[in-house]
Amino acid sequence: RKEVEQDPGPFNVPEGATVAFNCTYSNSASQSFFWYRQDCRKEPKLLMSVYSSGNEDGRFTAQLNRASQYISLLIRDSKLSDSATYLCVVITNSGYALNFGKGTSLLVTP
Amino acid sequence: DAGVIQSPRHEVTEMGQEVTLRCKPISGHDYLFWYRQTMMRGLELLIYFNNNVPIDDSGMPEDRFSAKMPNASFSTLKIQPSEPRDSAVYFCASSPQGAYEQYFGPGTRLTVT
């Protein structure tokens, strides 16, 4: 079983819609959590960190549920430019090695 | 400021040949990471360095793969001999001490025929 699991999608949504992705992790000792974004044929880039109390950055909201071992990302008022693959990332030990999910593909259509 | 620089951007080689991928991290970053990305397996960490010292190479698939970091501004990932199953995009990333955000280079797209 992979340490980080995501629904690969694709999620096809119209502009302006709200869409949510979930990600589950297997190691209960996991310490840090992130969402990265990867555009087609580009490198991954940090979208946002995920804090225990939840955090918001504009149209994006990230939540962490330690009891159920999942992380969520909510995107409100979707834009065409939000089309990308969203990678869930977990750090499971005291080092700096990132464990990536395989990503969830989002396509926002006009 | 320049980001992480990787070369070459594309590499096509024949099975059995040696392949060397290069990476220049962001100046001042203490950590350097090598990843491989395929459709089947997603992004996998191969190895990472802290202050030029390899810390975790448990992701290196086999002895055909080796990585070095002779100084703070340069690292190589070598595959010898290459095989078709090594075809993937190889990313290098760096991060500063104490920070979890990693900055990725544009990647090297490797095709082994």
Side-chain angles (χ1 to χ4, degrees), chain A residues 18-36:
Chain A
T18 295
V19 62
F21 311 133
N22 282 340
C23 160
T24 59
Y25 60 94
S26 60
N27 190 330
S28 60
S30 298
Q31 300 177 343
S32 302
F33 310 88
F34 308 89
W35 285 101
Y36 274 67

Side-chain angles (χ1 to χ4, degrees), chain A residues 36 38 43 91 96 102, chain B residues 31 37 40 100 102 105 109:
Chain A
Y36 274 67
Q38 185 172 23
E43 70 273 21
I91 294 182
Y96 289 83
K102 292 177 74 173
Chain B
Y31 285 84
Q37 186 174 38
M40 287 295 294
Y100 287 123
Q102 295 183 12
R109 188 169 297 273

Side-chain angles (χ1 to χ4, degrees), chain A residues 2 31-32 34 36 38 41-46 87 91 93-102, chain B residues 10 31 33 35 37 39-43 45 48 56 91 97-102 104-106 109:
Chain A
K2 242 183 118 45
Q31 300 177 343
S32 302
F34 308 89
Y36 274 67
Q38 185 172 23
R41 301 180 77 85
K42 297 287 189 180
E43 70 273 21
K45 293 184 180 179
L46 180 66
L87 302 164
I91 294 182
N93 54 38
S94 58
Y96 289 83
L98 303 183
N99 289 293
F100 283 83
K102 292 177 74 173
Chain B
H10 301 272
Y31 285 84
F33 305 81
Y35 292 89
Q37 186 174 38
M39 289 292 291
M40 287 295 294
R41 300 174 68 88
L43 258 172
L45 177 67
Y48 78 93
D56 184 354
F91 288 104
Q97 184 78 25
Y100 287 123
E101 179 176 2
Q102 295 183 12
F104 283 74
R109 188 169 297 273

Side-chain angles (χ1 to χ4, degrees), chain A residues 1 3 19 23 42 47 56 69 83 90 100 102 107:
Chain A
R1 181 184 169 194
E3 285 196 50
V19 62
C23 160
K42 297 287 189 180
L47 177 66
E56 190 173 306
Q69 296 182 206
S83 297
V90 174
F100 283 83
K102 292 177 74 173
L107 179 62

